[in-house]
């Protein structure tokens, strides 16, 4: 299972805020016996000089070096400070066998794509991460359809509840039997949140129905909450 999410990471936060138009993309992440965690990444876009000028005073790292400069961007290696929360999150990912597939950051906000051996593994990563006050915004979960369908629900519980209520109340009838405002009142959320839940639920169902090959995006998170209630 693959998860796409954004998070407010601590590493490079101040340096990235010094260059809001700069983007960094992970190249390699590794640890050594002497260093808790090292990160090799490309920095591209405007503001490279401002970013580099902020690195020496960035409290999230203990050292840095520019490895290469090309027409595309600059390649850096940094060592994580031993007391930042990102280091603990890295250890949690290893314990649940989570693998980083892609990571980019801009203006202090990281966009992540990770592979987990199961939904339960991701739930543990998410739960333990939030306990460290790491703010996650889950965008989607992916499940491989190659070699047979996965036995996973394509909807979150909140999406399922909203979709069933909308259907039962005639939202999909012509003419409609209920408005988004009225659905929102029944669910205790805004009409915008109802609209987003229905859109994401529909998108997930369509992906699961037609993605007989490749990977299907499933279980997009609601804007206001991520529900990991146990499934029966």
């Amino acid at each position: 299972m693959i998860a796409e999410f954004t998070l407010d990471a601590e590493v490079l936060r101040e340096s990235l805020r010094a260059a809001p138009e700069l983007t960094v993309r992970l190249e390699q992440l590794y640890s050594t016996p002497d260093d808790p965690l090292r990160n090799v990444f490309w920095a591209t876009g405007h503001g490279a000089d401002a970013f580099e000028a902020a690195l020496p005073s960035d409290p999230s790292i203990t050292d840095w070096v520019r490895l290469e400069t090309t027409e595309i961007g600059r390649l850096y290696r940094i060592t994580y400070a031993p007391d930042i929360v990102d280091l603990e999150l890295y250890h949690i990912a290893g314990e649940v066998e989570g693998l980083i597939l892609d990571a980019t950051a801009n203006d202090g906000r990281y966009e992540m794509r990770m592979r987990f051996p199961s939904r339960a593994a991701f739930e543990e990563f998410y739960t333990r991460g939030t306990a460290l006050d790491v703010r996650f915004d889950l965008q989607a979960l992916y499940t491989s359809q190659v070699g047979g369908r996965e036995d996973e629900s394509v909807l979150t519980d909140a999406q399922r509840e909203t979709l069933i209520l909308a259907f039962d109340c005639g939202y999909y009838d012509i003419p409609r039997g209920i408005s988004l405002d009225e659905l929102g009142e029944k669910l205790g959320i805004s009409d915008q949140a109802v609209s987003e839940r229905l859109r994401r639920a529909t998108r997930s169902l369509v992906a699961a129905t037609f993605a007989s090959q490749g990977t299907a995006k499933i279980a997009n998170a609601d804007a206001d909450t991520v529900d990991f209630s146990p499934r029966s």
Side-chain angles (χ1 to χ4, degrees):
M1 176 164 286
I2 300 171
E4 278 188 3
F5 56 92
T6 62
L7 60 84
D8 291 323
E10 189 174 354
V11 69
L12 294 178
R13 181 182 297 166
E14 293 189 6
S15 298
L16 287 169
R17 287 176 176 171
E21 296 183 33
L22 187 95
T23 298
V24 302
R25 180 178 295 274
L26 176 68
E27 181 77 10
Q28 186 180 15
L29 196 63
Y30 65 96
S31 59
T32 70
D34 297 324
D35 297 304
L37 192 61
R38 282 185 168 183
N39 182 339
V40 178
F41 61 90
W42 283 99
T44 60
H46 297 293
D49 290 339
F51 172 78
E52 188 166 308
L55 288 174
S57 59
D58 194 318
S60 68
I61 61 177
T62 57
D63 64 65
W64 66 276
V65 60
R66 192 202 306 179
L67 301 174
E68 187 176 352
T69 302
T70 70
E71 294 181 356
I72 299 175
R74 300 177 183 180
L75 184 67
Y76 292 93
R77 186 188 68 217
I78 58 171
T79 301
Y80 284 46
D83 57 346
I84 64 172
V85 69
D86 305 52
L87 192 59
E88 182 63 25
L89 199 63
Y90 173 78
H91 292 151
I92 295 172
E95 291 172 9
V96 301
E97 299 183 359
L99 176 65
I100 298 176
L101 301 177
D102 189 37
T104 61
N106 179 267
D107 198 19
R109 187 73 171 162
Y110 282 75
E111 296 184 2
M112 308 288 297
R113 187 162 66 93
M114 294 183 63
R115 184 188 300 276
F116 294 88
S118 65
R119 181 187 177 94
F122 172 72
E123 291 178 6
E124 181 178 349
F125 174 78
Y126 175 88
T127 301
R128 293 173 64 182
T130 52
L132 296 173
D133 292 328
V134 176
R135 180 174 175 266
F136 292 88
D137 286 327
L138 178 63
Q139 305 298 317
L141 298 178
Y142 294 65
T143 184
S144 174
Q145 300 292 326
V146 177
R149 295 184 61 85
E150 298 281 348
D151 184 21
E152 296 277 357
S153 172
V154 299
L155 300 178
T156 66
D157 291 340
Q159 289 171 351
R160 185 183 301 106
E161 176 191 15
T162 304
L163 195 61
I164 291 174
L165 180 64
F167 183 83
D168 288 343
C169 292
Y171 180 75
Y172 295 104
D173 293 349
I174 302 176
R176 284 180 173 168
I178 192 171
S179 68
L180 287 174
D181 285 335
E182 292 168 328
L183 283 172
E185 290 178 3
K186 290 179 177 292
L187 293 166
I189 58 178
S190 69
D191 61 330
Q192 179 66 27
V194 174
S195 176
E196 291 178 356
R197 279 189 189 178
L198 292 176
R199 175 177 54 81
R200 287 170 171 157
T202 301
R203 181 170 178 259
S204 297
L205 289 173
V206 170
T209 300
F210 291 105
S212 58
Q213 297 179 348
T215 53
K217 273 189 177 181
I218 67 167
N220 287 315
D222 288 305
D224 53 349
T225 184
V226 178
D227 186 357
F228 287 130
S229 301
R231 303 190 183 280
S232 57

